[in-house]
Amino acid sequence: RLASLLLLLVVCAGGSSAGSVPARASDCTTAFSSLTLRAPAFGLDTLRLRGGGRDIKIEHRAFVANLPRTLTDKGLREAFEEFGKIKEARVLLDIETGQSRRMGYVTFEDGRSLTDAVEEMHETEFCISQGEDKPEMCTKLVVTEAKPEKQTW
């Protein structure tokens, strides 16, 4: 996988690889838009393409599903703070009702924090208090590495 990435970088940056030069510039755009890098594996935050002047931002973002319905952005942040510095924690809301869709995203500063959070929190029971006169609400979380947002060129 790394060898393919390096070959693609050389060819698209204008170098040659046994005469294999893309027919059009859009061929490189298509190749890079379909390329997915696992940031923790490479230890990169940004991949810069020479010649094109474009950056591909790598986010360290977890997708979290099966959240308790009453959990807020603040509660989501607090639940994942132990794994590292968090850039953003967001619970997704239904556009019509304003209620939680029971899923959200947590964006970490670094890839190690993301990996630790996924390994520790996936399929764990997560409980929050509903108030003094109500029982705790517990759910089994689903935590995965979020799919990267589509890069627009």
Side-chain angles (χ1 to χ4, degrees):
R1 178 132 181 156
L2 181 57
S4 298
L5 172 63
L6 293 175
L7 176 62
L8 187 61
L9 284 170
V10 168
V11 171
C12 289
S16 65
S17 174
S20 65
V21 176
R24 300 178 307 275
S26 64
D27 292 342
C28 285
T29 302
T30 301
F32 278 112
S33 66
S34 65
L35 180 66
T36 301
L37 295 176
R38 290 189 51 99
F42 289 98
L44 301 172
D45 285 329
T46 303
L47 177 65
R48 184 171 230 11
L49 304 180
R50 289 186 180 207
R54 303 204 192 305
D55 290 344
I56 298 175
K57 298 287 184 191
I58 298 174
E59 286 193 321
H60 310 289
R61 196 163 66 140
F63 172 74
V64 186
N66 206 23
L67 294 170
R69 193 165 296 283
T70 58
L71 190 70
T72 63
D73 291 350
K74 182 181 177 189
L76 183 60
R77 175 180 289 273
E78 289 171 356
F80 283 85
E81 279 180 330
E82 67 182 90
F83 301 104
K85 198 167 190 175
I86 295 175
K87 286 183 181 179
E88 179 185 31
R90 185 170 34 105
V91 174
L92 301 179
L93 303 177
D94 184 278
I95 200 162
E96 292 179 13
T97 65
Q99 292 183 343
S100 170
R101 293 183 56 202
R102 299 191 63 206
M103 62 183 87
Y105 291 97
V106 179
T107 306
F108 292 93
E109 290 281 333
D110 62 89
R112 182 80 251 159
S113 299
L114 169 63
T115 303
D116 291 346
V118 170
E119 289 173 0
E120 292 288 322
M121 296 293 280
H122 182 64
E123 295 189 345
T124 60
E125 193 162 299
F126 180 72
C127 300
I128 65 169
S129 173
Q130 300 283 47
E132 271 188 45
D133 56 341
K134 295 181 181 179
E136 274 190 330
M137 176 182 257
C138 297
T139 63
K140 194 173 195 178
L141 294 180
V142 175
V143 183
T144 62
E145 187 174 339
K147 292 180 183 176
E149 291 182 24
K150 269 205 163 189
Q151 298 285 335
T152 56
W153 300 78

